[in-house]
Amino acid sequence: GQQLNQSPQSMFIQEGEDVSMNCTSSSIFNTWLWYKQDPGEGPVLLIALYKAGELTSNGRLTAQFGITRKDSFLNISASIPSDVGIYFCAGQGTSGSRLTFGEGTQLTVNP
Amino acid sequence: SAVISQKPSRDICQRGTSLTIQCQVDSQVTMMFWYRQQPGQSLTLIATANQGSEATYESGFVIDKFPISRPNLTFSTLTVSNMSPEDSSIYLCSVEDLGSLLYNEQFFGPGTRLTVL
């Protein structure tokens, strides 16, 4: 079945630093999504990408849909303490179909 | 985006018993899904809840263990049957409304944290 490799597994950074994480797949996805999950909560959608090569920003977040449709990255600029949490990438084949999730990146931001 | 609620938010259950989790959406949605997130792990799809018909289960998940209902476009239930400690997980409902939009997004409920003793 489809698998997503997400890296790094964890990151420990200082407040104000930039962060980058990425996902790669063994197969093609038509949609890439990035979610953030806080402890005890469900994942919250951060950014959705629909076209190969697309670069999308949401505040301090920037994500790109790889040109091969097999990868995506998420950047967070000028990190703040509330950025702490687990970030998941997810790929979707067609609208309305299942999401395949990466293993997550645990982000810790030291003030 | 749709507002999704789940009940209960958490529960502690004895092995051998069953628990039914409810998912309520504030608007009609096309698709409803149930995911499981085991401790420290990522999310895995259990099944797609189909309105008016049997759910579509992913490999490794069966109806006898995880019966699902979806009586209308805003509500679904997942039952975890004959529970064992290995069923201790967060169970998450998600929705996606295909509607008339060109692009669609999948949103998640707050989850139900289940502990089986």
Side-chain angles (χ1 to χ4, degrees):
Chain A
Q2 294 174 320
Q3 291 185 337
L4 289 187
N5 296 310
Q6 184 172 348
S7 63
Q9 283 188 315
S10 61
M11 301 183 74
F12 298 83
I13 62 171
Q14 294 297 123
E15 183 176 358
E17 289 183 352
D18 297 343
V19 172
S20 184
M21 58 193 78
N22 69 84
C23 274
T24 59
S25 169
S26 57
S27 52
I28 290 171
F29 288 110
N30 291 318
T31 301
W32 282 91
L33 304 134
W34 285 92
Y35 290 88
K36 179 180 181 236
Q37 186 175 30
D38 292 327
E41 303 289 331
V44 174
L45 183 64
L46 300 174
I47 290 181
L49 302 156
Y50 300 103
K51 296 178 182 177
E54 178 181 1
L55 185 70
T56 298
S57 294
N58 178 10
R60 294 179 296 106
L61 307 178
T62 301
Q64 183 156 31
F65 192 148
I67 196 70
T68 65
R69 293 197 283 157
K70 292 184 178 181
D71 63 295
S72 177
F73 72 74
L74 174 71
N75 288 340
I76 306 173
S77 63
S79 58
I80 59 178
S82 62
D83 290 335
V84 167
I86 303 177
Y87 292 79
F88 289 100
C89 63
Q92 187 179 43
T94 57
S95 288
S97 68
R98 60 174 293 179
L99 297 181
T100 300
F101 279 84
E103 293 304 309
T105 296
Q106 172 73 62
L107 178 64
T108 302
V109 180
N110 297 312
Chain B
S1 62
V3 176
I4 307 165
S5 60
Q6 286 185 232
K7 289 181 181 180
S9 59
R10 59 178 59 232
D11 207 342
I12 300 173
C13 301
Q14 296 296 321
R15 68 173 66 210
T17 63
S18 298
L19 176 72
T20 295
I21 302 168
Q22 299 179 0
C23 177
Q24 179 74 55
V25 194
D26 69 341
S27 59
Q28 293 184 340
V29 292
T30 314
M31 309 297 295
M32 295 184 77
F33 304 91
W34 286 98
Y35 288 81
R36 180 176 73 182
Q37 186 176 27
Q38 295 178 299
Q41 302 295 314
S42 186
L43 286 79
T44 300
L45 181 65
I46 297 172
T48 302
N50 300 311
Q51 194 234 340
S53 64
E54 191 172 288
T56 304
Y57 290 84
E58 295 296 304
S59 176
F61 298 96
V62 295
I63 187 171
D64 290 346
K65 177 66 176 178
F66 297 103
I68 287 170
S69 79
R70 188 173 175 198
N72 55 52
L73 294 176
T74 64
F75 185 78
S76 177
T77 67
L78 168 74
T79 299
V80 186
S81 303
N82 188 24
M83 289 184 283
S84 67
E86 291 70 35
D87 294 320
S88 297
S89 294
I90 300 172
Y91 292 87
L92 294 145
C93 168
S94 76
V95 305
E96 183 171 341
D97 186 35
L98 301 182
S100 61
L101 298 176
L102 183 60
Y103 301 125
N104 307 286
E105 296 161 349
Q106 204 167 118
F107 299 98
F108 284 82
T112 296
R113 183 179 294 272
L114 171 62
T115 302
V116 184
L117 302 178

